[in-house]
Amino acid sequence: MYKYHVFISIMILLFAGQVSAEVHVDGRIAWATDKGVGESSFFMGSLRFTEKPGGQEFQILNDLGVEFFDYGQGRVGSRTIFPAKIPFGVIDRLKNLDFLVSIESARRRRTPPLAESRPQVEADLAWLVAAPEGGTLSGKGVIICDIDTGVNYLHSNFFKLSGETFDWLDVDMSGTLTAGDAVDLDDNGLSDAGEALLWRESAGTSTYGNNGSEYDTNLDFLYNDANSSGTRDYGPPTFGENDPCYGERIFLTDDANDNGYLDPGETLLALGQTRIRAIYNKDGSIHRRGIDLLDSETDAWGHGTQVSGIFGGGWVGLHAMSGVAPGIESIHVDYDFAAEPPFLIPIEAGLAWAVGEGADIVLIEDGEWVW
C-alpha cells in the first residue's frame, strides 16, 4: 500500500510539472473583451496569485498598466488576492503570466449580459428536458432563498404568467403596436374605455439592439394603461395584494412568427401573481404574499433584485431577460450590510428562517473585502 501511494504521488508531481494552466479569466471580462472594448478602457477587479507576490511581480504588472490601490500597492501580509484597476488591453498578456491564477471582475461597468450568459450555462437547453412532474425543467417546485439587499417585489420580471390570454386591437390598422391601440379585456372586439395598450422599454437593453422607439417582444413589456396616464401605475395606495401585477396589468407576447414584433393576430399573455413568497426584513418582521408583502422593505441597493432576476426572473422562452430557472418561487432575507460585524450577526437568524420556510437552496451574498 505504501509503494502504491508513493507511485501515485510521483505520477501527480510529474504530471503537474508538465502542465502549465492558462490564467482563468472571469466570463464577464472575457465577454467585454470579445465585444471589442477599447484597449484604454479598464475595470475594477482582482488578481489571484499562485503565492504571496513580491516586488518583482508587482513591477511587471505595474509596467503593464495595472494599478493596485489598497494597502500601499498591495504589499501587505500573506495575501494572494489583490484588488486592482486593470486595463482591458493587457488581458492577453496577463493570461500568460505564470505567477497568476485568475483575473476576476469586482464591479460591473455595464449591464450584465443575461441574454448571453444564460445560454452559456446551457439553461436554455435544460428548459427542453422533460420534468418529472410534467412539462419541462424550469425550476418549478423549488424554493430559493436569497440573503441579500432585499428585492424589488414590484419589478415586472417577478410576476408569473396568469394563464389568461387576450387579443390586442390594431385600432389604426397600422400593422404594429402604436399609441391608440388596445387590449381587448372584455373580449367584445371593441376598443373600450380603460383598454389602452402601451409598452414600457426595458432599461439598459440598447446593447442588445433594443429600439427605444418601438415595442420589442423579447425585451420590452406591454401594459394596460387603464387610466390613460401615459405611464404604468402600480403599488400602494392605489393597488393592493389582490391586484394582479400589483398595478396596471402587464402582458408578454406570444410571438408566433418569432420576428420580435407584435403582429396582428398574435396573442397577449397576461402576468399575475408574484413568485416572491415572503421577505424577512432587517428588523426581523416577515411579510408574505397575499397578506402584506407590499408593506415590506424594498431593495434600496439593487443587488438583491439583480441576483433574483438572474436565478429566477422572467419566463421560459418568452423574454430575453429571463433568468436561469424562471419556474422557481423565492423568499428573501433583507440583510443589513451596515451592521458591525457586517456578516455573522444577521445571517444566523435569516438562515434559520429560510430553513423553516422550506428553502431548497440558500444564497448568501456578501463581499465587503473588495468593495
Side-chain angles (χ1 to χ4, degrees):
M1 183 64 72
Y2 172 75
K3 290 181 179 179
Y4 176 76
H5 285 164
V6 171
F7 173 75
I8 293 296
S9 299
I10 291 173
M11 291 302 294
I12 290 172
L13 288 171
L14 288 173
F15 182 76
Q18 294 171 356
V19 177
S20 178
E22 187 177 72
V23 176
H24 171 72
V25 179
D26 186 320
R28 294 180 298 241
I29 302 167
W31 177 84
T33 303
D34 290 343
K35 290 297 182 183
V37 176
E39 291 196 0
S40 61
S41 298
F42 63 88
F43 63 94
M44 295 299 181
S46 60
L47 298 176
R48 183 187 293 268
F49 294 78
T50 57
E51 57 186 7
K52 177 187 174 181
Q56 182 178 357
E57 288 82 7
F58 281 111
Q59 188 59 56
I60 291 172
L61 293 167
N62 285 334
D63 290 345
L64 289 175
V66 177
E67 299 180 25
F68 295 90
F69 49 85
D70 78 321
Y71 301 104
Q73 298 294 300
R75 298 172 175 81
V76 168
S78 59
R79 295 166 51 196
T80 57
I81 306 174
F82 295 88
K85 179 178 175 181
I86 306 169
F88 279 103
V90 301
I91 295 299
D92 286 340
R93 281 173 281 179
L94 293 177
K95 286 164 58 176
N96 294 316
L97 296 177
D98 58 8
F99 56 78
L100 290 181
V101 175
S102 63
I103 306 168
E104 303 291 335
S105 173
R107 302 175 183 173
R108 293 189 176 103
R109 289 174 51 77
R110 56 185 60 243
T111 301
L114 183 56
E116 297 194 22
S117 62
R118 187 190 62 244
Q120 287 174 354
V121 299
E122 299 188 343
D124 298 59
L125 293 179
W127 293 346
L128 303 176
V129 177
E133 68 277 8
T136 59
L137 291 178
S138 66
K140 184 178 180 180
V142 174
I143 299 173
I144 295 181
C145 175
D146 185 30
I147 300 180
D148 210 319
T149 63
V151 64
N152 179 4
Y153 43 80
L154 296 170
H155 196 290
S156 303
N157 277 63
F158 300 129
F159 295 112
K160 306 177 189 178
L161 290 167
S162 69
E164 302 168 279
T165 61
F166 297 94
D167 294 326
W168 75 284
L169 304 175
D170 186 12
V171 176
D172 62 1
M173 304 296 288
S174 65
T176 189
L177 180 65
T178 55
D181 291 338
V183 51
D184 193 8
L185 296 174
D186 57 9
D187 196 28
N188 67 354
L190 301 175
S191 175
D192 299 318
E195 293 186 335
L197 184 66
L198 293 179
W199 78 91
R200 181 179 61 78
E201 287 290 312
S202 287
T205 56
S206 60
T207 54
Y208 302 117
N210 192 8
N211 187 333
S213 63
E214 59 188 24
Y215 168 62
D216 186 317
T217 62
N218 293 315
L219 295 167
D220 301 326
F221 294 93
L222 295 167
Y223 69 94
N224 169 218
D225 185 19
N227 61 4
S228 298
S229 67
T231 186
R232 179 174 177 256
D233 297 307
Y234 57 90
T238 305
F239 298 95
E241 290 288 338
N242 296 321
D243 291 309
C245 306
Y246 293 148
E248 292 180 317
R249 297 295 301 270
I250 306 173
F251 308 93
L252 303 178
T253 298
D254 183 5
D255 189 9
N257 59 8
D258 198 29
N259 68 350
Y261 297 98
L262 178 60
D263 297 313
E266 290 183 330
T267 303
L268 306 187
L269 309 174
L271 302 184
Q273 185 187 55
T274 178
R275 58 173 56 95
I276 299 169
R277 295 164 64 105
I279 302 174
Y280 183 107
N281 284 185
K282 288 192 287 288
D283 63 3
S285 62
I286 298 168
H287 299 268
R288 299 186 182 278
R289 178 178 65 196
I291 300 175
D292 60 354
L293 193 69
L294 290 176
D295 294 329
S296 173
E297 300 165 344
T298 186
D299 183 4
W301 290 39
H303 189 277
T305 299
Q306 292 182 31
V307 168
S308 301
I310 291 168
F311 70 66
W315 312 267
V316 169
L318 291 173
H319 202 271
M321 291 301 153
S322 295
V324 173
I328 61 95
E329 291 203 331
S330 63
I331 59 178
H332 302 263
V333 175
D334 191 353
Y335 159 34
D336 187 0
F337 284 82
E340 292 293 343
F343 186 74
L344 296 176
I345 289 178
I347 295 297
E348 185 175 296
L351 280 172
W353 176 77
V355 171
E357 291 289 314
D360 301 289
I361 299 168
V362 178
L363 300 179
I364 301 176
E365 297 288 336
D366 188 81
E368 289 101 346
W369 74 271
V370 77
W371 274 153

